[in-house]
Amino acid sequence: MQEESLIPIPEPLPQPSWTGPEQIVLWQNQYPPSTLERDGIEQINVQLDPAHLTSLHPGQTLILPLPDGAPQVEAVLTDTFNDVNGTHNWRTRVQNDLPNASVLITQGSEKTHVAIFTEQGSYTLIADNKTGQASL
């Protein structure tokens, strides 16, 4: 009978430490809104706190105020993954009663894209990671 060699079980990898508030309002709508038109599409200029973009973490709730009286979206970040290009992606779950609403977040080294889909319309926010300047 041969002796079986035991394969040691490796220690679990440390989980990343996530910092930042548990709930944030990602931007505030101004009244009247600061708008511009680009390629026939109206864009609203908004300002984000760049620290919010670097502190996103699973379990955090994002409040996303939409323009034109559309209801705000409350999305919980459920998990994250990097694609083959190293782009950071976030999965979310919409919390407030907005049937068929969804939020997708993709964060590259320079810009963060937030796509918001509701029954009232679709919105895309593109924010500069360093300055927080964004268009919706």
Side-chain angles (χ1 to χ4, degrees):
M1 194 172 220
Q2 285 184 348
E3 279 187 42
E4 291 185 38
S5 60
L6 296 176
I7 299 173
I9 298 175
E11 292 295 317
L13 294 173
Q15 293 296 316
S17 61
W18 303 100
T19 59
E22 290 305 307
Q23 180 173 308
I24 57 172
V25 177
L26 206 50
W27 67 87
Q28 295 287 336
N29 289 326
Q30 298 176 342
Y31 188 81
S34 168
T35 62
L36 66 102
E37 190 170 310
R38 185 176 296 161
D39 298 326
I41 299 173
E42 182 179 78
Q43 297 180 358
I44 299 171
N45 296 316
V46 295
Q47 181 65 47
L48 283 68
D49 182 343
H52 289 333
L53 297 175
T54 60
S55 69
L56 298 177
H57 61 276
Q60 186 177 46
T61 300
L62 303 180
I63 308 296
L64 311 170
L66 298 177
D68 302 325
Q72 73 181 12
V73 174
E74 297 175 17
V76 174
L77 300 174
T78 57
D79 64 307
T80 182
F81 64 94
N82 288 347
D83 65 18
V84 294
N85 297 319
T87 303
H88 206 83
N89 297 279
W90 295 93
R91 291 186 180 104
T92 67
R93 184 177 62 249
V94 174
Q95 290 295 289
N96 48 338
D97 290 328
L98 295 175
N100 305 315
S102 62
V103 176
L104 306 170
I105 302 173
T106 302
Q107 190 172 58
S109 60
E110 295 179 21
K111 303 227 183 255
T112 297
H113 294 247
V114 180
I116 306 161
F117 305 97
T118 71
E119 289 183 344
Q120 287 78 23
S122 300
Y123 305 86
T124 302
L125 177 106
I126 302 172
D128 183 288
N129 292 341
K130 289 184 177 89
T131 66
Q133 293 178 338
S135 63
L136 176 66

